[in-house]
């Protein structure tokens, strides 16, 4: 009696299909892949940036080739293969960057290996469906010729494969494995052989904290170390790591450089670091300029207040840290050279600690002339009183290039008056985030003062079509606009708002040229557009 679910026994049994391992650059794998869609719920609208100068012929050629790759390859694939072989290494990465930007979903394994696995720099990311284990094995053949390598977001690639690629690349100066979650112990062991390494990004990998010891001991030229979300990087493991590193350094008395001595940028985001362990680490990094401890247990009493001993600091990120002390913000040695300050969602035990009173105190301090990037995102207690946030924007915010005030529910139009100066000077802001705030169309006049604005985020605000039109009229350099969940704007218009604005401009312009054709008003507000 035949079991349920079994097939008929007629005929010989079907042979099990064996997976064919593609030959590197084989014609059968050379064909372009079918583009894959990448749906998103966000409603970003964009347009090309205004040209400030005529692009070079090389730039125009690269952009044109990248935009028309599919058509060109279909018409004459042999010529495309031949011409790509002629591209010099000095231009190869520029062309590859353009292709990844314009055609990420149509680049197959064979196409990539045949044309772009050469030279001293390789960039492969998880956004490229054609990248697989075989692609990385081809990269491993470059060996000592590799100088810069990025293998980011490759979550399906194993630890063994990453180790294979890196083990012979002993001349690497830069290695980025961000988001390649299976990179682990074997990968770390291979990295420790790259003694010329200056930049190491292990963000969101599975490299255990104990594997950092040989890397710190062997890679003495490290300047950038990124360890976001490294497993089990906590006070106990940090103490153990530094003890092992110091003991290892003592066994090399003739060494002219100590471990971590050259580190300038340190990222410990989303780790278990606290004040004491942070001090343990940075006490060995005298040249530190960038520090990111966002989403950690750093309170700020001991660690941040001691940052005056690092006079070259240019960036501090403490987003979502349970800060209890802000005295370090009053230290001129710390503030004077800062270019980036991220103070987003500062809270302890669910209670927001960055308040209007503290903001008022910060505004009274000498304004840091070098500050370019400032984030107060998610500090929900700000804006309860008008003056503190208004004055902060007026004195500090408008002088920055990038200002993030998103996620402050109390922020309304009245606070943005600080963007307008009495002397008529234009704010320096080129990127402004006001998402998830209470602003409405009345804010358009103040936002319009930012004539150099390039990116504006207005998601989930009360801005309507008229307010957004007014901003576009006043900000000719604006090229990126986020209107996600703006109910005052039709869903179908949010992603193509620049086109909608241009169509309305042409309609109004036509009406002004042909006044006899004007129809009676329907009650909708008519706007004039000045380019």
């Amino acid at each position: 009696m035949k079991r349920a679910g079994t097939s008929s026994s007629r005929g010989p049994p079907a042979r099990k299909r064996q997976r064919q391992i593609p030959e590197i650059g084989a014609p059968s794998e050379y064909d372009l892949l079918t583009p894959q869609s990448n749906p998103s719920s966000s409603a970003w609208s964009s347009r090309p940036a205004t040209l400030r100068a005529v692009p070079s012929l090389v730039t125009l050629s690269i952009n044109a080739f990248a935009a028309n790759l599919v058509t060109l390859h279909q018409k004459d694939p042999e010529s495309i293969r031949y011409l790509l072989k002629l591209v010099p290494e000095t231009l190869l990465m520029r062309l590859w960057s353009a292709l990844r930007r314009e055609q990420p979903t149509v680049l197959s394994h064979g196409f990539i290996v045949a044309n772009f696995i050469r030279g001293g720099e390789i960039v492969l990311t998880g956004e490229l469906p054609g990248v697989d284990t075989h692609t990385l094995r081809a990269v491993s053949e470059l060996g000592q010729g590799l100088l810069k390598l990025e293998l980011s977001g490759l979550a399906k690639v194993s630890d063994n494969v990453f180790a294979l690629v890196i083990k012979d690349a002993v001349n690497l100066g830069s290695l980025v494995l961000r988001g390649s979650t299976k990179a682990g112990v074997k990968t770390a062991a291979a990295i420790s052989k790259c003694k010329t390494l200056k930049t190491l990004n292990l963000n969101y990998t599975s490299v255990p904290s104990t594997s950092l010891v040989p890397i710190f001991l062997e890679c003495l030229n490290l300047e950038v170390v990124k360890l976001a979300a490294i497993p089990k990087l906590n006070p106990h493991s940090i103490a153990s790591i530094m003890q092992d590193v110091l003991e290892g350094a003592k066994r090399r008395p003739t060494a002219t450089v100590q471990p971590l001595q050259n580190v300038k940028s340190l990222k410990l985001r989303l780790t278990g670091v606290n004040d004491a362990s942070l001090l343990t680490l940075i006490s060995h990094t005298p040249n530190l300029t960038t520090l990111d401890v966002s989403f950690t247990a750093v309170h700020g009493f001991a660690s941040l207040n001691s940052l005056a001993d690092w006079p070259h600091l240019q960036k501090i990120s403490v987003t979502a840290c349970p800060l209890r002390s802000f005295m370090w913000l009053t230290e001129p040695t710390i503030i004077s050279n800062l270019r980036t300050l991220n103070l987003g969602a500062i809270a302890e035990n669910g209670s927001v600690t960055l308040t209007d009173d503290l903001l008022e105190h910060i505004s009274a301090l000498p304004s840091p002339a070098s500050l370019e990037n400032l984030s107060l995102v998610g500090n929900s207690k700000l804006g309860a009183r008008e003056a503190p946030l208004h004055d902060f924007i007026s004195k500090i915010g408008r002088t920055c290039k990038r200002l993030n005030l998103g996620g402050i529910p109390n922020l309304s139009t009245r606070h943005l008056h600080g963007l307008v100066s009495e002397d008529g000077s234009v704010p320096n802001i080129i990127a402004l985030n006001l998402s998830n705030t209470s602003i409405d169309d009345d804010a358009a006049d103040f936002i319009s003062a930012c004539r150099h604005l390039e990116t504006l985020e207005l998601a989930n605000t009360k801005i309507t079509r008229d307010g957004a039109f007014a901003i576009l009229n006043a900000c000719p350099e604006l090229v990126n606009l986020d209107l996600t969940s703006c109910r005052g704007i039709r869903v179908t218009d949010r992603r193509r708002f620049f086109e909608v604005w241009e169509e309305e401009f042409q309609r109004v312009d036509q009406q002004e040229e042909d006044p006899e054709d004007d129809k009676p008003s329907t009650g909708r507000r008519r706007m004039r557009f000045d380019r």
Side-chain angles (χ1 to χ4, degrees), residues 2 12 86 96 233 254 276 301 309 344 478:
K2 187 172 66 174
L86 299 179
W96 179 237
L233 189 61
T254 58
F301 274 126
D309 296 330
L478 186 62

Side-chain angles (χ1 to χ4, degrees), residues 85 106 110 133 139 154 205 216 227 231 273 292 312 315 380 384 425 448 461 493:
K85 294 291 185 184
V106 301
T133 298
V139 175
L154 301 175
T205 64
F216 290 165
L227 305 173
V273 67
D292 186 349
H312 305 297
K315 176 179 178 179
S380 57
S425 61
S448 296
T461 62
D493 289 346

Side-chain angles (χ1 to χ4, degrees), residues 330 357-367 388 391-392 395-396:
T330 66
D357 292 338
L358 181 59
L359 202 64
E360 203 167 31
H361 180 65
I362 295 174
S363 298
L365 299 173
S367 179
D391 295 345
F392 184 85
K395 185 178 180 181
I396 299 177

Side-chain angles (χ1 to χ4, degrees), residues 150-226:
E150 178 178 344
L151 304 174
S152 59
L154 301 175
K156 296 181 180 180
V157 177
S158 70
D159 188 25
N160 287 331
V161 174
F162 286 120
L164 175 67
V165 175
I166 298 169
K167 70 180 181 67
D168 292 326
V170 294
N171 293 322
L172 274 179
S174 175
L175 176 62
V176 177
L177 297 175
R178 179 185 62 252
S180 294
T181 53
K182 292 184 180 180
V185 176
K186 294 180 180 179
T187 301
I191 293 172
S192 66
K193 298 178 182 179
C194 305
K195 298 186 178 183
T196 59
L197 202 60
K198 289 187 176 181
T199 297
L200 177 61
N201 187 334
L202 296 177
N203 291 345
Y204 311 104
T205 64
S206 297
V207 173
S209 57
T210 53
S211 295
L212 297 175
V213 174
I215 295 176
F216 290 165
L217 281 172
E218 300 296 335
C219 305
L220 299 179
N221 295 313
L222 279 175
E223 295 180 0
V224 177
V225 178
K226 298 187 177 184

Side-chain angles (χ1 to χ4, degrees), residues 275 298-306 323-328:
D275 287 79
V298 170
H299 289 93
F301 274 126
S303 57
L304 298 182
N305 289 342
S306 69
L323 298 187
R324 300 174 187 170
S325 172
F326 293 89
M327 289 298 295
W328 54 281

Side-chain angles (χ1 to χ4, degrees), residues 91-112:
L91 295 178
L92 194 64
M93 286 311 299
R94 288 180 60 183
L95 177 58
W96 179 237
S97 296
L99 287 173
R100 289 189 294 115
R101 182 183 67 247
E102 297 289 340
Q103 310 281 0
T105 61
V106 301
L107 304 173
S108 70
H109 159 79
F111 182 84
I112 295 170

